[in-house]
Structures are given as C-alpha cells and as structure tokens.
C-alpha cells in the first residue's frame, strides 16, 4: 500500500506563507453581523461553529514543511484537531469594527490549521458578529467564502452539475520550475520537442514581460504620504453599507460595470479623504492592485490561491466624479482586453516561476518591497444572493477584510449581499488613525455620483420615484 502524496502548496500559496512576519500577518477576514433571536444566540453560534468545523476537511489542515521539494510546504491533516482552539467567544463589545481591528493585527498560530472564528456578542444583546480569519496561504477570497459557508446553516441550493474530475497526475520527471508541466517518457519523443520548447519559451517570455511591466509601473508614481506612511503592524477596520440600487442607477447612466463604479467610488473617496485631512489630492494618482480570480468554476480541488490582477492608477486628482468613473472604466476595459496574464498586476503569476527554496529564502525581501508595486489594494469578493443564517439568526451585514502586507497602510474589499454593497476597510491603525473619515467619504462620493448622473429637472428625463 503506497503512501498518499502530500498536498503541496501551490507557488502562490507558498509565497503568502513566506512573506508573513509576526508584525505583518498575512490573513484575510470577513466580519459578519447577525440579528440575535434570543439572549444566548451568540453562545449558541459558537457551539454550532465548533460542532460543524471538524466536518469541513479544509479546516483540519495545517501547513508544514516538507523535505522534497526543498523549501516547499504542504497541507497536512491534524489528527487531534480541537475546534475550540479556533472558535472563540469574547466579552460583549460596543463596536464590532473596533474589536475586529484588534483581532486582525494578531498573527494566526502557524503550528495549527491557520484559521479562527471569533464570536463577538453585542453589548445590547440584540445582535452578534462573527469574525472569520483565514491565512492567505490557506485560501483566497472565494475559497474563504466556501469554508465559512460550510459552517453556516444548510441552505437549499439549486441542483448543480457534478464537478468535472481533474485528470490524473502524470508521472515523470519534474522540472525545477513549478510553472512548467511535468515531463513524461512519452514527452521525450523527439517529435514533441518543438512543443516543449514553445512551452518553456512562452513561460520565460511571460515572466520577462510581467517583470518589465512591474518596472514601468514604478515610473512617475504620484501618491500621498497617508498611503506611503511607515506601517506599524497595528490594525483598524471600518465598514460602509450602500444601496446596490444606487450603484445600478449610476452604472446605467454613466456606463461601465458595477465593479467599475465601486472602484471609482474608492478613487473619489480617497480624494475627499486626503483633502479633508489636509494632505491634498492635487497630482495624486495612486496605484491600486485589483485582484482577479483565475479559479475554474466547479473545480474538484478548489483549495489554495488562483489569482492574478490588474494594476490601475486611480484618478484621485480628477475633480469631476463622472470623469473619474470614465477614467476607471477605460483602464479596466484595457486590462480586460489584454487579459489577466499580462501587465504589472499579473505579478502573482511570477510565483509559478520561482522554485520553493526561492520562496523560502526570498519571502521576507518580497514582503518588505510590496509598496514598490502598489499603493493600496481594492478587491471584490462575491457572495451568494441567498440569505445566510447561523443558528437561525439571519446574516444582515458582511464586511470582507483584505490582508495588509508589510509596506501597505490601506486595503479596501467590497461585496454585494442581499441588495446592498458592503465596503470593508483595513488600515494600519497608526498610519491611518482617521479611517472613519475615509468611510464617510465613500458615502459622500456615492451621493455625489448619484447627483451628477441624475437627469436635469425640466428635461422630461427625470427618474420616476417608483423606479428601481
């Protein structure tokens, strides 16, 4: 009986695992707010989460080093898994975001499965929140959503097609670069050499192209001291809730996608925030990394990260909110035309061309230089349209929280859920002490865009009061 091969971390997972430091943890999160139906609802939620976690295989896996390949790591099941090491409940809190910020700055225990769920009862007893934290090496946003949903109450989902099984791994010689496929004996047929040469050449050219784009992305950078401040490892979070109908009205008038509008709102909010705090927005054009999922739907093995990205210069200096949206839309259209495998934002793909030992030795260097590539992250995490519950208590709000790498002072994540848009803001608490000011600026920017896109009165094009 042969031993089961280890579940090796993909190169990007390995990169996230190695760039983490104690002062700059690399976990993402989600803060869900639930309506309590009884005084003991929060305690009941904790009991349910602890009872359901052992049945979710992904939550029982810790990350451990392996001998081969040198510098690599793998997901290893924990035989003595204790869910109470991961599911905790706090004393009643008066501010969910203040409590979440304090928890987000704590690194996860790397000796255990790298995730936690913190139940936060409200001081008034009429609601409670759950903060999920997942290490980025364990999951990207979509995978984290899958893991969190697995411990929620069961929901009746439409019948879905069974996942297509992945082809069996081919056995043969493995090249030292994980971005290149295995070579089998059949592949050594001289008639197939041209295909191998094209594969190696194509991978090399892609790496060179992305590297050149990264270098160009550092030219002429105009950012703000607030986004380039020296981080301290402290964390602060804030949340904003918007009406999705308002976003759709803006989109229908100005064009683009919902995501274009949400990114443009961030650009306008940063402008307002910089002006109100006295830093000034004149000439500021920060680089926003927009992650793009490369995950295949209904994949049989969805663990790990499948990410690329777009690097967009936010038009913060532009005064007109509609023109800011047009600029964002044009930039996103250009990136979509080129695809997620080109440009500086595709830097995550370079992880595939680095051997495991390179990730182990160079992780800290990469982490320290993240600010050279981008100034802030703006990411979107899709949520199901069906209402989620925990112990019968409905989920009313959910704020995604992006990781904050060393050298970054602000990250923005956004999700739509049940007709509303939820912005989750994560910042270095000392570099950005006025995060609530930025949160208010998001609401003000949506109001300004809505007003700018509204038809002028007397033109006969007014939107009826009953329109949706």
């Amino acid at each position: 009986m042969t031993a089961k091969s280890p579940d090796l971390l993909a190169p990007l997972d390995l990169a996230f695992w190695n760039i983490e430091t104690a002062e700059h943890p690399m976990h993402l999160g989600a803060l869900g707010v639930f309506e309590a139906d009884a005084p003991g609802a929060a305690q009941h939620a904790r009991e349910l989460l602890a009872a359901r976690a052992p049945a979710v295989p992904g939550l029982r896996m810790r990350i451990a080093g392996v001998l081969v390949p040198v510098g690599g790591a793998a997901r290893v099941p924990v035989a003595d898994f204790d869910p109470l090491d991961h599911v905790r409940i706090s004393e009643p809190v008066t501010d969910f975001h203040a409590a979440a910020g304090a928890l987000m700055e704590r690194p996860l225990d790397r000796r255990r499965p790298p995730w936690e769920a913190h139940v936060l009862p409200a001081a008034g007893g009429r609601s409670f929140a759950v903060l999920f934290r997942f290490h980025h090496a364990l999951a990207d946003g979509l995978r984290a959503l899958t893991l969190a949903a697995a411990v929620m109450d069961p929901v009746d989902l439409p019948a879905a097609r069974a996942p297509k099984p992945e082809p069996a791994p081919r056995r043969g010689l493995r090249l030292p670069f994980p971005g290149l496929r295995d070579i089998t004996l059949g592949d050594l047929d001289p008639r197939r050499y041209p295909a191998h040469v094209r594969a190696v050449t194509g991978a090399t050219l892609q790496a060179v192209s992305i590297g050149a784009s990264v270098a160009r992305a550092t030219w002429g950078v105009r950012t703000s001291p607030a986004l380039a401040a020296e981080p301290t490892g402290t964390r602060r979070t804030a949340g904003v809730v918007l009406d999705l109908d308002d976003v759709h009205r803006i989109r229908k008038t100005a064009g683009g996608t919902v995501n274009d509008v949400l990114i443009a709102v961030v650009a306008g909010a940063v402008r307002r925030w910089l002006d109100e705090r006295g830093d000034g927005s004149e000439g500021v054009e920060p680089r926003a990394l927009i992650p793009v999922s490369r995950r295949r739907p209904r994949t049989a093995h969805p663990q790990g990260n499948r990410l690329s990205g777009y690097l967009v210069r936010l038009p913060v200096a532009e005064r007109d909110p509609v023109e800011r949206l047009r600029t964002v839309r044009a930039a996103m259209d250009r990136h979509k035309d080129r695809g997620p495998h080109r440009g500086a934002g595709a830097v995550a793909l370079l992880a595939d061309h680095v051997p495991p030992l390179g990730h182990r030795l160079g992780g800290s260097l990469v982490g320290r230089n993240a600010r050279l590539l981008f100034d802030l992250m703006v990411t979107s995490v899709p949520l199901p349209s069906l209402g989620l519950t925990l112990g019968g208590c409905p989920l009313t709000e959910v704020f995604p929280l992006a990781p904050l790498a060393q050298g970054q002072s602000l990250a923005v994540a956004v999700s739509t859920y049940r007709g509303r848009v939820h912005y989750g803001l994560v910042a270095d608490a000392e570099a950005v002490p006025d995060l609530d000011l930025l949160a208010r600026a998001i609401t003000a920017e949506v109001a300004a865009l809505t007003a700018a896109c509204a038809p002028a009165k007397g033109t006969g094009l007014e939107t009826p009061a009953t329109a949706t």
Side-chain angles (χ1 to χ4, degrees), residues 12-81:
L12 187 55
D13 303 339
L14 195 59
F16 286 134
W17 188 246
N18 283 297
I19 66 176
E20 178 179 66
T21 66
E23 296 77 20
H24 300 281
M26 281 300 296
H27 53 255
L28 48 84
L31 179 66
V33 179
F34 296 82
E35 181 181 310
D37 59 358
Q43 178 61 39
H44 181 48
R46 189 226 184 179
E47 294 168 356
L48 286 175
L49 293 172
R52 293 169 178 172
V56 182
L59 299 181
R60 301 176 61 99
M61 309 290 280
R62 71 181 183 92
I63 295 176
V66 296
L67 294 177
V68 180
V70 178
R75 298 178 187 86
V76 179
V78 176
D80 57 348
F81 174 73

Side-chain angles (χ1 to χ4, degrees), residues 97-235:
H97 280 287
L103 291 168
M104 285 296 288
E105 67 183 50
R106 300 180 188 174
L108 293 166
D109 188 341
R110 293 168 67 94
R111 299 167 299 178
R112 296 173 175 167
W115 69 275
E116 288 179 352
H118 296 265
V119 180
L120 310 172
R126 287 178 286 188
S127 64
F128 66 90
V130 178
L131 174 67
F132 288 98
R133 299 196 297 151
F134 298 96
H135 198 286
H136 217 329
L138 178 69
D140 57 17
L142 288 176
R143 175 61 173 161
L145 169 64
T146 302
L147 293 173
V151 291
M152 296 287 108
D153 294 343
V155 295
D156 294 326
L157 298 175
R161 290 184 295 175
K164 294 181 180 180
E166 292 190 348
R170 302 187 306 166
R171 302 189 180 278
L173 304 175
R174 179 176 291 277
L175 294 175
F177 299 98
L180 305 178
R181 61 196 184 109
D182 292 353
I183 293 180
T184 66
L185 292 178
D187 289 334
L188 297 180
D189 187 335
R191 292 171 296 180
R192 298 188 182 183
Y193 286 172
H196 297 319
V197 172
R198 286 195 299 270
V200 173
T201 302
T204 302
L205 290 177
Q206 181 192 43
V208 171
S209 175
I210 294 173
S213 297
V214 170
R216 288 193 297 270
T218 63
W219 299 348
V221 173
R222 291 174 291 170
T223 187
S224 165
L227 299 176
E230 189 63 33
T232 63
T234 57
R235 295 290 182 268

Side-chain angles (χ1 to χ4, degrees), residues 398-426:
V398 56
F399 301 96
L401 303 172
L404 203 59
Q406 184 177 356
Q408 304 296 323
S409 57
L410 177 66
V412 180
V414 59
S415 287
T416 57
Y417 176 70
R418 306 288 285 176
R420 297 198 292 177
V421 177
H422 295 79
Y423 278 92
L425 311 179
V426 179

Side-chain angles (χ1 to χ4, degrees), residues 102 218 283 318 361 384:
T218 63
E318 173 58 52
L361 298 178

Side-chain angles (χ1 to χ4, degrees), residues 288-299:
L289 180 62
I290 316 292
V292 177
S293 175
R294 297 188 298 121
R295 188 178 300 282
R296 296 178 180 178
R298 297 182 296 274
T299 179

Side-chain angles (χ1 to χ4, degrees), residues 313-347:
R313 296 209 177 194
L314 297 182
V316 169
E318 173 58 52
R319 297 175 179 272
D320 183 355
V322 176
E323 188 59 33
R324 283 196 293 269
L325 173 54
R326 290 172 181 159
T327 302
V328 168
R329 177 187 178 186
M332 291 297 289
D333 285 346
R334 287 194 299 271
H335 284 296
K336 291 173 187 175
D337 288 342
R338 293 191 305 173
H341 296 86
R342 299 175 58 189
V347 66

